Amino acid sequence: MHLSCFNVLFITLAFVSVFADAAAPRKHLDLVQRETLPHWILGEVDNPSFFTDKDQKAFSKTLWNVRLGEKLPVGGKHNYAIYSLKGYGIRFKSNSLIMKVFNAVDNAAIGEAKALGAVGDLVASGIVKSLGSKPAIIMKKKPGQPLHTTNEYKAARETVREKMRDQTYRLMRKEVVNVATKKYVLHDDNHPALSNVLVTMSGNNVKSVALVDYGPPQTYFLDKSVTKGDVCNFYGDCEKPTTKQYLWEKEFPYVPPAPGTST
């Protein structure tokens, strides 16, 4: 059967289109369900178009002298387990590390290792033979705990809890902007229920926050042209409450009031 020039051209263009779609960074909608993401967001961290040869070999070596601590009650779609560590190698002997163990070496694992390296939290990645030769990343342990698990939040009246949530969100947004404009990674998976934002308390005030879990979805690599104004506009405004803040507080995990607490 002979194909006309038109048919050949159509098939060629269709093939090029499919290939281009496969190679282009895949993007997810953010919390407020934007139809498009701004130009300075290049794509999610698990897109293989971002991976170098070094990234592809992130789990090619064995992690020796890993001394496991407590297995933490943290879940995750791609996770096998998460452990605190009593030590790793010669340099790290304290409990200043966390190890996330994956089910398999896939784009999500490679992308998270790359993102952690970009923000400066990655210590090592490789295979842990004592856990059935599972791939794992060792990262710096961040201070704090999820707000809704703190004793201060549990014991507070609802009006005080609302203040704590507002403080947490504002500090979280500030840290998101800081990481985005200095490390070129956008941490946009800041859902309270997922415990991806840790707080350090000072009385009934949130003193500081730390962002954890740089895996997909909703973690993005950014163009180096990104500015504070770009990220602030993405969130609506860096100085005022936004739709994202209202949605964030609406989905905040419910904590029953402590006995004797007036709400």
Side-chain angles (χ1 to χ4, degrees):
M1 180 177 67
H2 297 287
L3 295 175
S4 67
C5 292
F6 175 80
N7 286 334
V8 171
L9 178 61
F10 178 81
I11 293 172
T12 301
L13 290 175
F15 175 80
V16 170
S17 176
V18 170
F19 180 82
D21 287 343
R26 178 169 53 84
K27 298 178 179 179
H28 283 279
L29 301 181
D30 69 342
L31 186 59
V32 293
Q33 295 296 295
R34 295 178 184 272
E35 294 183 357
T36 58
L37 293 173
H39 68 89
W40 46 269
I41 294 183
L42 299 178
E44 287 194 296
V45 297
D46 62 341
N47 191 294
S49 65
F50 295 127
F51 301 162
T52 65
D53 289 342
K54 182 179 179 180
D55 297 329
Q56 297 280 10
K57 298 176 182 177
F59 299 95
S60 61
K61 64 181 182 180
T62 298
L63 295 173
W64 300 106
N65 297 322
V66 176
R67 296 182 288 282
L68 296 178
E70 179 185 5
K71 185 176 181 180
L72 305 178
V74 180
K77 180 179 179 182
H78 302 282
N79 302 345
Y80 171 78
I82 298 180
Y83 292 89
S84 63
L85 295 185
K86 295 180 179 178
Y88 166 61
I90 300 175
R91 179 181 174 188
F92 298 97
K93 298 181 179 180
S94 66
N95 60 347
S96 61
L97 302 175
I98 292 288
M99 185 173 73
K100 177 183 285 190
V101 186
F102 298 102
N103 289 309
V105 177
D106 55 16
N107 290 339
I110 296 172
E112 185 166 355
K114 184 178 181 70
L116 284 168
V119 301
D121 288 346
L122 182 68
V123 173
S125 62
I127 299 298
V128 182
K129 290 190 175 181
S130 62
L131 295 175
S133 295
K134 294 284 187 181
I137 50 177
I138 297 176
M139 66 195 97
K140 297 175 183 177
K141 184 178 180 180
K142 294 294 187 72
Q145 64 189 95
L147 176 62
H148 65 278
T149 68
T150 64
N151 292 331
E152 293 86 351
Y153 187 83
K154 293 177 180 179
R157 299 187 302 274
E158 182 56 32
T159 54
V160 179
R161 290 180 177 180
E162 185 177 358
K163 180 196 73 171
M164 293 177 179
R165 294 195 296 267
D166 180 73
Q167 291 175 336
T168 301
Y169 186 87
R170 289 174 183 269
L171 288 171
M172 176 204 80
R173 187 166 52 183
K174 183 178 180 180
E175 183 62 14
V176 167
V177 171
N178 181 58
V179 173
T181 55
K182 293 183 178 180
K183 306 298 183 181
Y184 310 110
V185 177
L186 179 64
H187 188 292
D188 194 41
D189 195 16
N190 305 304
H191 299 251
L194 299 179
S195 302
N196 290 345
V197 179
L198 307 181
V199 304
T200 299
M201 303 295 298
S202 176
N204 279 342
N205 291 299
V206 180
K207 180 180 179 181
S208 63
V209 304
L211 305 177
V212 296
D213 193 352
Y214 280 88
Q218 290 180 243
T219 305
Y220 306 97
F221 288 125
L222 308 181
D223 187 87
K224 292 187 178 180
S225 65
V226 65
T227 66
K228 177 181 177 181
D230 290 331
V231 186
C232 287
N233 289 335
F234 182 67
Y235 277 84
D237 191 318
C238 275
E239 304 301 329
K240 300 176 182 178
T242 66
T243 302
K244 273 198 172 188
Q245 179 168 354
Y246 296 137
L247 289 173
W248 183 82
E249 291 201 349
K250 182 179 179 181
E251 69 166 19
F252 208 92
Y254 175 73
V255 178
T261 300
S262 174
T263 57

mmCIF file of all heavy atoms in Angstrom, residues 90-110:
data_model
loop_
_atom_site.group_PDB
_atom_site.id
_atom_site.type_symbol
_atom_site.label_atom_id
_atom_site.label_comp_id
_atom_site.label_asym_id
_atom_site.label_seq_id
_atom_site.Cartn_x
_atom_site.Cartn_y
_atom_site.Cartn_z
ATOM 1 N N ILE A 90 31.280 6.719 59.807
ATOM 2 C CA ILE A 90 32.147 7.229 60.874
ATOM 3 C C ILE A 90 31.732 8.637 61.287
ATOM 4 O O ILE A 90 31.760 8.990 62.458
ATOM 5 C CB ILE A 90 33.619 7.228 60.408
ATOM 6 C CG1 ILE A 90 34.062 5.804 60.062
ATOM 7 C CG2 ILE A 90 34.528 7.845 61.468
ATOM 8 C CD1 ILE A 90 35.454 5.722 59.480
ATOM 9 N N ARG A 91 31.314 9.429 60.313
ATOM 10 C CA ARG A 91 31.041 10.844 60.563
ATOM 11 C C ARG A 91 29.790 11.067 61.391
ATOM 12 O O ARG A 91 29.746 11.918 62.280
ATOM 13 C CB ARG A 91 30.940 11.570 59.229
ATOM 14 C CG ARG A 91 30.638 13.055 59.359
ATOM 15 C CD ARG A 91 30.524 13.685 57.988
ATOM 16 N NE ARG A 91 30.093 15.074 58.078
ATOM 17 C CZ ARG A 91 29.775 15.815 57.027
ATOM 18 N NH1 ARG A 91 29.852 15.303 55.813
ATOM 19 N NH2 ARG A 91 29.384 17.067 57.188
ATOM 20 N N PHE A 92 28.732 10.306 61.097
ATOM 21 C CA PHE A 92 27.438 10.551 61.736
ATOM 22 C C PHE A 92 27.196 9.489 62.806
ATOM 23 O O PHE A 92 26.930 8.331 62.499
ATOM 24 C CB PHE A 92 26.309 10.523 60.701
ATOM 25 C CG PHE A 92 26.438 11.577 59.644
ATOM 26 C CD1 PHE A 92 27.010 11.287 58.415
ATOM 27 C CD2 PHE A 92 25.981 12.864 59.869
ATOM 28 C CE1 PHE A 92 27.128 12.259 57.441
ATOM 29 C CE2 PHE A 92 26.093 13.846 58.910
ATOM 30 C CZ PHE A 92 26.672 13.548 57.687
ATOM 31 N N LYS A 93 27.269 9.887 64.060
ATOM 32 C CA LYS A 93 27.115 8.955 65.169
ATOM 33 C C LYS A 93 25.913 9.269 66.050
ATOM 34 O O LYS A 93 25.592 8.503 66.947
ATOM 35 C CB LYS A 93 28.385 8.957 66.019
ATOM 36 C CG LYS A 93 29.627 8.490 65.269
ATOM 37 C CD LYS A 93 30.847 8.493 66.160
ATOM 38 C CE LYS A 93 32.073 8.006 65.402
ATOM 39 N NZ LYS A 93 33.290 7.990 66.249
ATOM 40 N N SER A 94 25.255 10.385 65.808
ATOM 41 C CA SER A 94 24.116 10.767 66.643
ATOM 42 C C SER A 94 22.809 10.485 65.911
ATOM 43 O O SER A 94 22.794 9.950 64.798
ATOM 44 C CB SER A 94 24.207 12.261 66.990
ATOM 45 O OG SER A 94 24.062 13.041 65.819
ATOM 46 N N ASN A 95 21.711 10.861 66.553
ATOM 47 C CA ASN A 95 20.400 10.645 65.942
ATOM 48 C C ASN A 95 19.970 11.880 65.148
ATOM 49 O O ASN A 95 18.840 12.331 65.235
ATOM 50 C CB ASN A 95 19.356 10.321 67.016
ATOM 51 C CG ASN A 95 19.219 11.446 68.031
ATOM 52 O OD1 ASN A 95 20.042 12.353 68.092
ATOM 53 N ND2 ASN A 95 18.175 11.372 68.835
ATOM 54 N N SER A 96 20.890 12.407 64.343
ATOM 55 C CA SER A 96 20.611 13.612 63.559
ATOM 56 C C SER A 96 20.159 13.298 62.146
ATOM 57 O O SER A 96 20.068 14.181 61.306
ATOM 58 C CB SER A 96 21.866 14.491 63.495
ATOM 59 O OG SER A 96 22.934 13.794 62.855
ATOM 60 N N LEU A 97 19.854 12.010 61.899
ATOM 61 C CA LEU A 97 19.530 11.596 60.538
ATOM 62 C C LEU A 97 18.203 10.837 60.481
ATOM 63 O O LEU A 97 17.765 10.228 61.457
ATOM 64 C CB LEU A 97 20.632 10.692 59.981
ATOM 65 C CG LEU A 97 22.052 11.261 59.942
ATOM 66 C CD1 LEU A 97 23.026 10.195 59.479
ATOM 67 C CD2 LEU A 97 22.116 12.486 59.046
ATOM 68 N N ILE A 98 17.602 10.876 59.311
ATOM 69 C CA ILE A 98 16.396 10.100 58.998
ATOM 70 C C ILE A 98 16.684 9.312 57.730
ATOM 71 O O ILE A 98 17.341 9.819 56.813
ATOM 72 C CB ILE A 98 15.186 11.026 58.765
ATOM 73 C CG1 ILE A 98 14.781 11.726 60.059
ATOM 74 C CG2 ILE A 98 13.997 10.246 58.204
ATOM 75 C CD1 ILE A 98 14.129 10.829 61.077
ATOM 76 N N MET A 99 16.199 8.096 57.657
ATOM 77 C CA MET A 99 16.363 7.304 56.440
ATOM 78 C C MET A 99 15.005 6.899 55.884
ATOM 79 O O MET A 99 14.192 6.294 56.589
ATOM 80 C CB MET A 99 17.196 6.047 56.700
ATOM 81 C CG MET A 99 17.481 5.260 55.421
ATOM 82 S SD MET A 99 18.635 3.872 55.660
ATOM 83 C CE MET A 99 17.573 2.722 56.549
ATOM 84 N N LYS A 100 14.758 7.255 54.647
ATOM 85 C CA LYS A 100 13.539 6.835 53.964
ATOM 86 C C LYS A 100 13.885 5.677 53.035
ATOM 87 O O LYS A 100 14.792 5.781 52.204
ATOM 88 C CB LYS A 100 12.929 7.979 53.160
ATOM 89 C CG LYS A 100 11.693 7.572 52.357
ATOM 90 C CD LYS A 100 11.149 8.706 51.502
ATOM 91 C CE LYS A 100 10.419 9.715 52.344
ATOM 92 N NZ LYS A 100 9.680 10.711 51.495
ATOM 93 N N VAL A 101 13.161 4.580 53.180
ATOM 94 C CA VAL A 101 13.391 3.382 52.378
ATOM 95 C C VAL A 101 12.254 3.262 51.371
ATOM 96 O O VAL A 101 11.075 3.343 51.731
ATOM 97 C CB VAL A 101 13.448 2.122 53.262
ATOM 98 C CG1 VAL A 101 13.826 0.904 52.428
ATOM 99 C CG2 VAL A 101 14.442 2.320 54.411
ATOM 100 N N PHE A 102 12.607 3.070 50.096
ATOM 101 C CA PHE A 102 11.620 2.988 49.025
ATOM 102 C C PHE A 102 11.325 1.532 48.672
ATOM 103 O O PHE A 102 12.116 0.624 48.965
ATOM 104 C CB PHE A 102 12.121 3.709 47.773
ATOM 105 C CG PHE A 102 12.356 5.179 47.975
ATOM 106 C CD1 PHE A 102 13.649 5.660 48.154
ATOM 107 C CD2 PHE A 102 11.303 6.082 47.982
ATOM 108 C CE1 PHE A 102 13.874 7.014 48.333
ATOM 109 C CE2 PHE A 102 11.521 7.436 48.166
ATOM 110 C CZ PHE A 102 12.810 7.904 48.337
ATOM 111 N N ASN A 103 10.204 1.343 48.006
ATOM 112 C CA ASN A 103 9.863 0.002 47.535
ATOM 113 C C ASN A 103 10.716 -0.407 46.343
ATOM 114 O O ASN A 103 11.026 -1.587 46.156
ATOM 115 C CB ASN A 103 8.389 -0.063 47.147
ATOM 116 C CG ASN A 103 7.474 0.000 48.348
ATOM 117 O OD1 ASN A 103 7.652 -0.750 49.305
ATOM 118 N ND2 ASN A 103 6.500 0.892 48.323
ATOM 119 N N ALA A 104 11.086 0.568 45.512
ATOM 120 C CA ALA A 104 11.853 0.270 44.308
ATOM 121 C C ALA A 104 12.570 1.529 43.838
ATOM 122 O O ALA A 104 12.233 2.640 44.254
ATOM 123 C CB ALA A 104 10.927 -0.255 43.201
ATOM 124 N N VAL A 105 13.558 1.336 42.979
ATOM 125 C CA VAL A 105 14.219 2.476 42.345
ATOM 126 C C VAL A 105 13.366 2.900 41.158
ATOM 127 O O VAL A 105 13.330 2.226 40.129
ATOM 128 C CB VAL A 105 15.642 2.107 41.873
ATOM 129 C CG1 VAL A 105 16.278 3.292 41.145
ATOM 130 C CG2 VAL A 105 16.499 1.682 43.044
ATOM 131 N N ASP A 106 12.652 3.985 41.308
ATOM 132 C CA ASP A 106 11.830 4.506 40.226
ATOM 133 C C ASP A 106 12.060 6.006 40.107
ATOM 134 O O ASP A 106 12.898 6.582 40.802
ATOM 135 C CB ASP A 106 10.352 4.181 40.458
ATOM 136 C CG ASP A 106 9.839 4.666 41.808
ATOM 137 O OD1 ASP A 106 10.514 5.505 42.440
ATOM 138 O OD2 ASP A 106 8.756 4.224 42.237
ATOM 139 N N ASN A 107 11.313 6.649 39.216
ATOM 140 C CA ASN A 107 11.511 8.079 38.995
ATOM 141 C C ASN A 107 11.210 8.907 40.239
ATOM 142 O O ASN A 107 11.832 9.941 40.473
ATOM 143 C CB ASN A 107 10.638 8.560 37.834
ATOM 144 C CG ASN A 107 11.111 8.028 36.498
ATOM 145 O OD1 ASN A 107 12.266 7.632 36.353
ATOM 146 N ND2 ASN A 107 10.229 8.007 35.516
ATOM 147 N N ALA A 108 10.246 8.440 41.043
ATOM 148 C CA ALA A 108 9.908 9.164 42.269
ATOM 149 C C ALA A 108 11.086 9.154 43.240
ATOM 150 O O ALA A 108 11.411 10.174 43.855
ATOM 151 C CB ALA A 108 8.672 8.553 42.922
ATOM 152 N N ALA A 109 11.730 7.997 43.391
ATOM 153 C CA ALA A 109 12.879 7.890 44.305
ATOM 154 C C ALA A 109 14.054 8.719 43.801
ATOM 155 O O ALA A 109 14.697 9.456 44.569
ATOM 156 C CB ALA A 109 13.279 6.429 44.456
ATOM 157 N N ILE A 110 14.344 8.628 42.507
ATOM 158 C CA ILE A 110 15.451 9.385 41.932
ATOM 159 C C ILE A 110 15.178 10.880 42.039
ATOM 160 O O ILE A 110 16.064 11.672 42.391
ATOM 161 C CB ILE A 110 15.675 8.980 40.462
ATOM 162 C CG1 ILE A 110 16.104 7.516 40.382
ATOM 163 C CG2 ILE A 110 16.724 9.878 39.807
ATOM 164 C CD1 ILE A 110 16.160 6.975 38.965
#
